[in-house]
Amino acid sequence: MNHPDQHGTASFSDMALPPQVLRTLTEHGVREPFPIQAATLPDALAGRDVLGRGRTGSGKTLAFGLPLLVRTAGQRAEAKQPLALVLVPTRELAQQVTEALAPYADALRLRMAAVVGGMSIGRQTAELREGAEIVVATPGRLHDLIERKACRLGRVRITVLDEADQMCDMGFLPQVTEVLDQVRPDGQRMLFSATLDRDVDQLVSRYLNDPVVHSVDPSAGAVSTSDHHVLVVHGPDRYAVTTEIAARDGRVLLFLDTKHAVDQLTRHLRAGGVHAAALHSGKSQPQRTRTLAQFKDGQVTVLVATNVAARGLHIDDLDLVVNVDPPTDPKDYLHRAGRTARAGESGKVVTLVLSGQRRETSRVMAEAGIEPTVTKVRSGEAELSRITGAKAPSGTPLDRGPAVPRPKNTNAPFRGLGTSKDASRGTGGRSRKADEARKLAEARKAAQVRRGG
């Protein structure tokens, strides 16, 4: 096995890339390879198996994508028989990989198909039937298509497993091994993972042949370009602190534990004039895609999400991630934190904790290899604004309709807030406007009675 720290060449033009790929790189403003690209491209282009340890945002999509496309160029796939396969854990990541590679695939006249759940299986079957050289897939949907005999993997010569640790964590190991057992045994395999724990190690030893190992960004310091803060908040003040952070200038990603808590906080923020949107597995795929597009183009400034959004989401120029509910697993912390400080940019990760959660959060952080700055804060204070850019929201509701009650403040995490039946439906109590309208109507009635005697 070769080992890290072989920093390949510093220029794409020194690598064995066809002119149309170099031209497309230039057109897309990609001038110099990121470290993981410089390290892995020469080996991957030569057909070697590659084991890459690199966090998301380190540029690995092109590190595996360019060799996969270049080595497939000039071949045509027959119906239902792709020639190259990229396996990823989530729909969002599948779409991002497909979008990132599309210009290069077009330049090389290769056809790509994205095979993911939540979208029309009929359309995906048709794309495979017409012939697609490259398939980007999530394990569940690919398994379904293989079962339906709509896809056969016997001609796949290049297989990429992206975010292999996530696929294992999400219970996809059986589908991943099923896929690897069906592709050509003499083909090229590339596996990328932030961590190499038990399941991933098993995949590497069983399916990779004398891989070249490249470690870019050691896993413990995977988010070292981020600035990590723990903000200790007083229970009753925590909603106000969250709202002020959300109202900052610039985008922010807020993480909560449950879909219900995400929806509740999103409604509360919108009622206060903050352009927030919810992202969780209860939303349809078109809704999730639209919300992400609006967050990327700035129509939505606050994305309120469950862990589903931490899996491989790529958002440029996102400089603040807030754990409103502190993660209880170091891997979750690193994946959430990895949404900021991408591709060498700096970013800030803030975790809100109540005093009773401090010990547990310290343990999680220590296991994640993070030493945060701990600060006690209150809403409206300069210190909160200094760390997060927090400011008072406009207070002008963005949606018409009944106002949402503020959930009861308890010392429980957000998932425990607002447990009354009314609050859980998001319609508890009358809104102030409704009360005022009722009082006005009563006053008019009283005046009429007086006039009419």
Side-chain angles (χ1 to χ4, degrees):
M1 274 196 186
N2 296 1
H3 279 284
D5 307 323
Q6 305 170 333
H7 286 287
T9 40
S11 154
F12 285 115
S13 55
D14 297 337
M15 301 179 194
L17 293 169
Q20 57 268 56
V21 169
L22 292 171
R23 198 161 52 242
T24 310
L25 283 163
T26 306
E27 282 166 11
H28 285 80
V30 184
R31 290 186 173 78
E32 287 177 9
F34 285 138
I36 198 159
Q37 294 163 357
T40 57
L41 273 165
D43 289 314
L45 284 163
R48 292 284 305 271
D49 281 10
V50 170
L51 172 57
R53 287 183 62 172
R55 64 192 183 92
T56 54
S58 56
K60 62 185 164 56
T61 304
L62 289 185
F64 65 70
L66 293 181
L68 175 139
L69 295 169
V70 169
R71 299 193 71 237
T72 307
Q75 301 168 61
R76 292 301 270 176
E78 290 178 22
K80 306 180 189 178
Q81 298 193 73
L83 306 176
L85 173 67
V86 181
L87 213 51
V88 298
T90 64
R91 305 166 188 179
E92 276 78 17
L93 187 55
Q95 288 181 318
Q96 284 168 202
V97 168
T98 307
E99 283 167 20
L101 298 184
Y104 307 96
D106 289 347
L108 293 166
R109 306 205 169 166
L110 290 166
R111 297 164 296 176
M112 290 177 75
V115 166
V116 299
M119 307 294 262
S120 160
I121 196 164
R123 189 177 306 156
Q124 291 169 8
T125 303
E127 281 185 12
L128 288 165
R129 199 169 46 240
E130 285 162 21
E133 284 76 39
I134 289 96
V135 166
V136 181
T138 49
R141 176 53 63 91
L142 183 61
H143 172 81
D144 292 346
L145 286 163
I146 292 167
E147 292 279 288
R148 292 178 177 216
K149 305 212 171 353
C151 183
R152 296 208 295 276
L153 301 180
R155 298 195 63 193
V156 170
R157 286 177 58 249
I158 305 172
T159 310
V160 175
L161 302 184
D162 191 16
E163 306 220 345
D165 50 340
Q166 284 307 322
M167 286 194 275
C168 293
D169 287 351
M170 292 165 80
F172 287 132
L173 186 62
Q175 285 98 322
V176 172
T177 55
E178 173 192 55
V179 163
L180 289 169
D181 286 337
Q182 291 180 35
V183 299
R184 280 178 56 158
D186 59 343
Q188 179 183 18
R189 321 273 165 83
M190 292 184 262
L191 184 149
F192 290 81
S193 183
T195 58
L196 297 182
D197 46 19
R198 198 177 59 253
D199 288 339
V200 178
D201 216 28
Q202 184 187 323
L203 288 172
V204 172
S205 56
R206 188 167 156 196
Y207 294 104
L208 267 62
N209 175 30
D210 184 27
V212 190
V213 181
H214 292 291
S215 233
V216 176
D217 302 321
S219 57
V223 282
S224 56
T225 45
S226 301
D227 190 7
H228 298 265
H229 291 265
V230 166
L231 301 185
V232 183
V233 294
H234 180 50
D237 195 33
R238 138 185 237 205
Y239 233 58
V241 166
T242 304
T243 306
E244 287 176 14
I245 295 173
R248 73 197 284 267
D249 294 323
R251 291 177 304 173
V252 60
L253 177 53
L254 305 178
F255 280 112
L256 288 89
D257 285 341
T258 67
K259 293 185 271 195
H260 170 64
V262 163
D263 287 337
Q264 199 171 28
L265 178 60
T266 304
R267 286 195 300 264
H268 168 77
L269 291 174
R270 291 186 68 82
V274 176
H275 289 271
L279 187 74
H280 56 63
S281 59
K283 303 283 183 189
S284 72
Q285 191 56 40
Q287 278 177 312
R288 283 157 70 171
T289 304
R290 188 173 65 247
T291 298
L292 271 176
Q294 289 175 330
F295 187 57
K296 285 179 180 177
D297 71 17
Q299 287 177 62
V300 164
T301 53
V302 180
L303 197 57
V304 189
T306 55
N307 271 343
V308 72
R311 308 294 188 214
L313 255 194
H314 176 70
I315 298 153
D316 289 321
D317 307 320
L318 176 62
D319 61 351
L320 181 64
V321 168
V322 181
N323 295 311
V324 180
D325 284 332
T328 52
D329 179 308
K331 270 192 177 177
D332 280 345
Y333 182 87
L334 289 170
H335 275 281
R336 290 177 177 194
R339 298 318 92 206
T340 182
R342 302 176 68 80
E345 299 296 317
S346 61
K348 199 169 275 189
V349 185
V350 166
T351 303
L352 303 185
V353 300
L354 303 169
S355 51
Q357 297 169 319
R358 283 183 71 174
R359 180 177 291 170
E360 167 67 1
T361 303
S362 297
R363 180 192 65 74
V364 171
M365 297 274 206
E367 283 184 31
I370 301 295
E371 288 181 33
T373 307
V374 181
T375 316
K376 278 193 173 176
V377 297
R378 285 187 176 276
S379 55
E381 283 186 350
E383 192 66 351
L384 177 63
S385 298
R386 183 186 66 76
I387 296 167
T388 65
K391 62 178 202 175
S394 72
T396 310
L398 300 177
D399 304 314
R400 296 210 165 148
V404 184
R406 239 179 78 149
K408 290 191 194 111
N409 274 301
T410 68
N411 266 7
F414 265 38
R415 57 179 171 269
L417 292 179
T419 48
S420 75
K421 281 184 187 162
D422 283 339
S424 68
R425 282 201 302 271
T427 54
R430 285 196 180 88
S431 71
R432 200 166 63 221
K433 278 187 180 167
D435 279 343
E436 284 167 4
R438 187 170 47 80
K439 281 176 189 161
L440 196 62
E442 283 169 3
R444 280 191 187 136
K445 214 175 202 175
Q448 276 174 336
V449 169
R450 280 200 304 278
R451 279 203 304 274

